[in-house]
Amino acid sequence: MDERINAGKIGLYKRIRVIYALMLIVCALLIGVLANIQLINYEKYQLSTVDQYTKEVEISAKRGTIYDCNMKPLAVSATVERVFIDPSKIPDMTVSEYIEDKLTYFEEDEVEAERARLNEVFKDKSITIAQDIANELSDYLGVDKETILKKTEMTKRADETVKNQVELEVTAKIREMIKAKYYSKYIFFAEQTKRYYPYGSLASHVLGFTGTDNVGLQGVEAYYESILQGIPGKTITAKNGRGDSMSFKYETYVSAQDGTDIMLTIDWTIQHTLEKYLEKALSETQARNKVCGIIMDVNTGGILAMATMPDFDLNEPFVLDGDSAAKLEEFEGTDEEKTKFKSDLLYSMWKNKAITEIYEPGSTFKVITSTMALEEGLTNPTEQFNCSGSITIPGYPQPIHCHKTTGHGTLTFREALMQSCNPTFVRISQRIGTDLFYKYYQAYGYTGKTGIDMAGEASNLFFTNFNTVDLAVASFGQNFKVTPISHLTAFAAAVNGGYLLTPHILKATVDENGNVAEGYDTSVKRQVVSEETSAYIRDFLEGAVESGGAKNAAVAGYRIGAKTGTSVKTEKSGTEKYYIASTIAVAPIDDPQIAVMIIVDEPVGSFYGGIVSAPIASNVLSEVLPYLGIEPSYEQGEIDSVVGTAVSNYANRTVDDAKADITKNGFEYKIVGNGEKVVGQSPQYGATLPPGGIVVLYTEEGDAQKVAVPNVIGKTASEANRMLTNAGLNVSIANSTVSSERGAVVYRQSKADEEVPLGTVISLDFRVYDNVSD
């Protein structure tokens, strides 16, 4: 027995030791797990715990407003909301089951009324709650039902976005639905901001736009993203053991920091004017590769306006413009190829031609070549040259022709620039030489980017091995390429005293009170040429408008300087030639303030810069200069034909009184009817007429007497005036300075071939076609 007892004790001790060993192992494992949780992976498990018992929702920061230079808002942010669901809380039951469940929360006497209401609210009771939520949100938000339904199946997630940037009017309706169906635990909202552009397409290529995540994708929006974006905030809400949000006292709110407002150098009025005339140019020239323009302050480098046409709607940036949509419609290929083609069309539509593309500047570059020769004393304004119509350069395959194939004969260097004589500039380039030419090319900033504060600026393209043959054609702007912004910047230096500036679009940052926080200072890189050389160039350019190839850039009452250019697109193959017609105009040329660049890429029909783009520059300047407060100064007798006199209001006045007043103002009159008092007139009160204009007075009620408007396109000023006045119509000349030039004819008129009231004012636009080639 003792042996059995001893054996039992030994077995017990063994079992105790085994149990003890197992307990030690378990303790060691527990210690290891605790060490892993509390020491090694503390942060991981802490975040997991926090995530389990808290719910975090991001609050978007309000993006900074973009203003024009006069604090007119060009891009603003408005409050919208993100709509999201919590799939983990959506009950797995049918609508019928859901209704019965909800009725358990009501008093007995309330149940039937609530049942009737819910039966009315829920139209289909056979579907699941997830399906009903998908149906409702699809109807309100325009999101595919199946897409939403798939989100409801992600039951381990507490936040699935259905749609971003939903308008408040829409979310208000969703809230009503949520209240009616008791969906407050399943559908949620988070405040966001959405970008709006009050003026639609205005300055579209400058401003750029944001994506659905409110991040800048193009233009200023992209370049100044770090300033505009702000810092998001958040709300952190505690959750109970069931995962439901706890009361407000357990909520933490971190405010968003709004982005910084910025003011641009862009002027809304000037931008609108430029776009108006570029759009007209695109329509009239049928340019196959767009048109663009820039207006720059030549003394600061500030960009007052910049545009490319066609433009696009900033509020719908992923919708193709008309031309692009037509190209997509005509495209033949697979779905994948069509998607890529659409993407290419969008990127092409968004491109800011003024900074992202390069072109051959043509004869506008002769201004730069001129400064080199004048600065180095290699010629002077009065030195005479002979142009026979062409010049032969050893190594060049053919003679280099002048646009005047019969030759200019003898002309001074000043006249050579005014008349855009190629042979003369080839001879000048031979004096300059390749090394000196490249030195100035570099000094004007062409070998690098301008540094303009906009995304996507392209690099210029110069000759690989610059030799004397290249030099000959480079002298008049062929066979190398520059961006419009870099060429205009160099041109501005040539006329502003020689100072190369950094072009810029940002004027200042603005504080919350609308005051300037930090302004942008004018950045002068270097003085390239002297004031004396610059003064010569200004004189040459004014001569080009007065009696050279830039006559169509003239503006009545203002001293304008301009150079036109026509470049052949040498990269194009085939028998058909493609051209770029360009003009750079400066005003006032005796005290330069602004430069206007107009580029028409591949116009159909006329292609000379002096005919195609110079009139656009004139139209722009005719409105921009008065707006800037630059007063016109008219020649003797010019003021009447340009400004005219306003027509008085003759309603209810006696015929004799009206006749006396009309005569006093230098007008003629025509009486229609036999009454003693005036009951109607044409033109209407406030219209302006030149001396000799006709005022028609109606003395009896009835329809106005109408006449057919003669078509005077192609007629001289005197011919057009005679035809229109003989028909009993008045004449308004849009560009009287051009109309007085020899060879000027009507290019455009209003109301041609229409029936209009007697006395109607017909607007005429003139162009010079003779001796304006470049």
Side-chain angles (χ1 to χ4, degrees):
M1 178 180 278
D2 290 340
E3 289 178 356
R4 287 197 299 271
I5 291 172
N6 288 334
K9 286 181 178 180
I10 291 170
L12 177 62
Y13 291 151
K14 286 182 178 179
R15 286 194 294 273
I16 290 173
R17 282 197 295 270
V18 170
I19 292 169
Y20 182 70
L22 290 172
M23 289 177 66
L24 286 175
I25 292 171
V26 170
C27 287
L29 289 172
L30 287 173
I31 290 170
V33 171
L34 289 172
N36 180 54
I37 293 172
Q38 296 186 0
L39 298 176
I40 299 172
N41 289 309
Y42 167 75
E43 291 185 0
K44 171 186 173 182
Y45 288 104
Q46 184 191 44
L47 290 173
S48 178
T49 304
V50 169
D51 185 59
Q52 185 176 351
Y53 290 102
T54 61
K55 183 175 184 178
E56 184 176 306
V57 178
E58 182 178 285
I59 301 171
S60 297
K62 184 179 180 182
R63 195 170 177 84
T65 299
I66 301 176
Y67 295 99
D68 86 332
C69 62
N70 297 310
M71 291 299 287
K72 186 185 288 287
L74 303 177
V76 298
S77 292
T79 300
V80 289
E81 291 183 300
R82 177 173 71 96
V83 179
F84 64 101
I85 58 175
D86 183 347
S88 68
K89 292 292 183 294
I90 298 175
D92 184 14
M93 57 177 67
T94 65
V95 169
S96 294
E97 293 169 339
Y98 179 79
I99 291 174
E100 293 303 320
D101 178 69
K102 290 302 175 185
L103 291 176
T104 62
Y105 295 94
F106 287 84
E107 297 294 333
E108 188 175 343
D109 60 340
E110 299 173 331
V111 169
E112 289 310 314
E114 182 61 16
R115 184 191 302 277
R117 189 190 72 80
L118 290 175
N119 283 333
E120 179 65 25
V121 170
F122 288 97
K123 303 300 182 184
D124 188 347
K125 299 170 194 61
S126 63
I127 62 175
T128 65
I129 292 301
Q131 288 174 322
D132 187 66
I133 288 174
N135 289 342
E136 289 283 13
L137 293 182
S138 176
D139 290 342
Y140 283 114
L141 301 176
V143 178
D144 179 65
K145 291 179 184 179
E146 291 303 316
T147 300
I148 302 174
L149 198 57
K150 286 180 181 178
K151 290 179 181 290
T152 67
E153 295 168 358
M154 298 179 183
T155 54
K156 292 185 178 181
R157 292 183 56 81
D159 186 337
E160 274 296 313
T161 298
V162 178
K163 189 173 183 178
N164 283 301
Q165 298 187 344
V166 182
E167 307 292 343
L168 296 183
E169 307 90 82
V170 177
T171 58
K173 293 177 182 177
I174 296 175
R175 280 185 168 87
E176 291 176 5
M177 179 271 294
I178 291 172
K179 183 178 179 181
K181 293 188 171 184
Y182 304 118
Y183 281 172
S184 60
K185 291 183 179 181
Y186 322 133
I187 304 174
F188 301 89
F189 306 90
E191 185 178 301
Q192 291 181 320
T193 59
K194 182 178 180 179
R195 208 58 161 166
Y196 287 98
Y197 302 91
Y199 302 104
S201 61
L202 185 91
S204 56
H205 293 93
V206 174
L207 296 175
F209 53 90
T210 61
T212 54
D213 56 359
N214 219 29
V215 173
L217 297 180
Q218 295 284 330
V220 170
E221 293 277 29
Y223 191 90
Y224 284 110
E225 171 66 21
S226 60
I227 294 177
L228 293 165
Q229 66 179 344
I231 302 174
K234 58 186 174 182
T235 58
I236 304 173
T237 306
K239 296 189 289 187
N240 59 26
R242 296 188 304 273
D244 297 328
S245 297
M246 297 173 68
S247 64
F248 181 75
K249 67 180 180 179
Y250 296 104
E251 182 175 281
T252 300
Y253 181 84
V254 180
S255 299
Q257 297 180 30
D258 292 343
T260 302
D261 297 341
I262 62 175
M263 180 196 297
L264 304 184
T265 56
I266 294 292
D267 185 299
W268 185 94
T269 301
I270 297 176
Q271 180 74 27
H272 181 266
T273 301
L274 177 63
E275 291 188 12
K276 176 176 66 175
Y277 286 111
L278 286 180
E279 188 172 23
K280 184 178 289 187
L282 181 66
S283 173
E284 291 181 350
T285 67
Q286 295 296 300
R288 288 173 285 199
N289 197 30
K290 303 183 181 182
V291 299
C292 75
I294 311 172
I295 303 179
M296 176 189 287
D297 184 325
V298 299
N299 299 306
T300 68
I303 304 300
L304 304 181
M306 178 185 284
T308 299
M309 287 290 165
D311 54 11
F312 60 94
D313 186 350
L314 289 168
N315 294 308
E316 297 287 348
F318 291 91
V319 175
L320 292 170
D321 63 64
D323 290 344
S324 299
K327 290 178 183 177
L328 182 64
E329 185 68 25
E330 295 169 0
F331 182 81
E332 294 182 1
T334 65
D335 290 344
E336 184 179 349
E337 290 170 337
K338 192 166 187 177
T339 298
K340 183 182 182 303
F341 184 62
K342 181 180 180 181
S343 179
D344 292 341
L345 288 172
L346 283 170
Y347 278 105
S348 176
M349 182 179 76
W350 297 335
K351 284 180 68 175
N352 183 345
K353 192 176 182 72
I355 66 168
T356 65
E357 295 186 13
I358 53 177
Y359 78 112
E360 296 182 35
S363 290
T364 58
F365 194 83
K366 288 173 181 171
V367 170
I368 306 301
T369 304
S370 296
T371 65
M372 302 177 190
L374 291 168
E375 186 72 11
E376 294 295 326
L378 300 175
T379 188
N380 62 71
T382 59
E383 182 183 359
Q384 293 188 335
F385 296 83
N386 183 67
C387 170
S388 62
S390 66
I391 186 171
T392 301
I393 298 296
Y396 201 73
Q398 57 192 20
I400 294 174
H401 293 281
C402 188
H403 66 86
K404 189 174 184 180
T405 55
T406 57
H408 288 103
T410 301
L411 74 175
T412 65
F413 182 58
R414 178 179 186 270
E415 291 169 336
L417 182 63
M418 289 165 50
Q419 302 299 335
S420 203
C421 177
N422 283 351
T424 298
F425 275 86
V426 172
R427 292 189 177 94
I428 287 295
S429 73
Q430 292 171 331
R431 297 182 189 180
I432 296 171
T434 55
D435 291 343
L436 192 58
F437 187 98
Y438 189 76
K439 172 189 170 184
Y440 276 95
Y441 182 85
Q442 189 173 41
Y444 272 114
Y446 289 113
T447 54
K449 296 180 181 181
T450 65
I452 188 172
D453 48 341
M454 293 190 71
E457 182 179 8
S459 297
N460 297 328
L461 185 64
F462 200 60
F463 302 92
T464 304
N465 298 302
F466 190 40
N467 55 44
T468 54
V469 175
D470 297 330
L471 175 65
V473 291
S475 69
F476 52 86
Q478 285 284 175
N479 290 13
F480 67 94
K481 294 183 176 183
V482 296
T483 60
I485 188 62
S486 68
H487 188 40
L488 183 61
T489 301
F491 202 101
V495 299
N496 71 4
Y499 298 96
L500 185 70
L501 307 172
T502 300
H504 62 278
I505 208 83
L506 179 67
K507 186 172 185 179
T509 55
V510 181
D511 65 22
E512 62 273 13
N513 298 315
N515 300 314
V516 172
E518 183 178 357
Y520 180 95
D521 294 326
T522 299
S523 175
V524 180
K525 293 180 178 178
R526 67 188 74 90
Q527 185 174 11
V528 183
V529 295
S530 65
E531 170 58 44
E532 181 182 15
T533 294
S534 187
Y536 281 140
I537 294 299
R538 293 194 295 270
D539 174 60
F540 292 6
L541 294 176
E542 185 172 25
V545 173
E546 290 177 343
S547 56
K551 296 184 186 74
N552 285 316
V555 180
Y558 292 97
R559 294 178 63 180
I560 309 296
K563 184 70 191 81
T564 60
T566 305
S567 54
V568 181
K569 300 182 77 168
T570 53
E571 75 276 13
K572 293 271 190 175
S573 59
T575 56
E576 184 179 3
K577 288 186 177 181
Y578 297 86
Y579 298 88
I580 294 177
S582 64
T583 295
I584 303 178
V586 180
I589 195 60
D590 55 324
D591 180 22
Q593 300 298 313
I594 62 172
V596 176
M597 168 183 268
I598 303 294
I599 294 176
V600 180
D601 197 343
E602 298 185 17
V604 176
S606 296
F607 54 81
Y608 285 113
I611 295 172
V612 174
S613 56
I616 305 168
S618 172
N619 290 335
V620 171
L621 286 169
S622 69
E623 292 190 25
V624 170
L625 292 173
Y627 169 75
L628 291 175
I630 300 172
E631 296 294 332
S633 177
Y634 297 107
E635 298 290 334
Q636 183 67 32
E638 188 180 25
I639 189 167
D640 288 335
S641 62
V642 175
V643 179
T645 303
V647 176
S648 302
N649 185 357
Y650 298 114
N652 297 319
R653 293 171 68 170
T654 64
V655 172
D656 289 342
D657 181 34
K659 287 162 61 177
D661 187 76
I662 291 170
T663 302
K664 184 185 71 173
N665 288 329
F667 304 143
E668 296 180 5
Y669 56 82
K670 179 178 178 64
I671 311 299
V672 179
N674 300 311
E676 296 181 355
K677 283 193 172 184
V678 177
V679 297
Q681 68 182 78
S682 178
Q684 298 299 313
Y685 165 58
T688 58
L689 296 178
I694 304 169
V695 179
V696 181
L697 301 177
Y698 294 93
T699 63
E700 295 177 358
E701 296 290 349
D703 294 335
Q705 185 175 335
K706 292 191 173 183
V707 294
V709 179
N711 190 322
V712 295
I713 301 294
K715 303 296 183 182
T716 65
S718 59
E719 290 171 336
N721 188 67
R722 182 175 64 254
M723 291 172 67
L724 292 169
T725 54
N726 286 346
L729 300 166
N730 287 295
V731 178
S732 173
I733 298 176
N735 46 355
S736 61
T737 301
V738 175
S739 71
S740 63
E741 289 286 344
R742 185 167 61 87
V745 296
V746 177
Y747 168 75
R748 183 192 301 118
Q749 78 170 92
S750 63
K751 305 183 185 304
D753 301 317
E754 293 182 18
E755 290 275 329
V756 300
L758 200 65
T760 296
V761 179
I762 306 301
S763 178
L764 304 180
D765 192 357
F766 286 82
R767 286 190 185 178
V768 179
Y769 289 90
D770 296 335
N771 196 29
V772 290
S773 301
D774 37 50

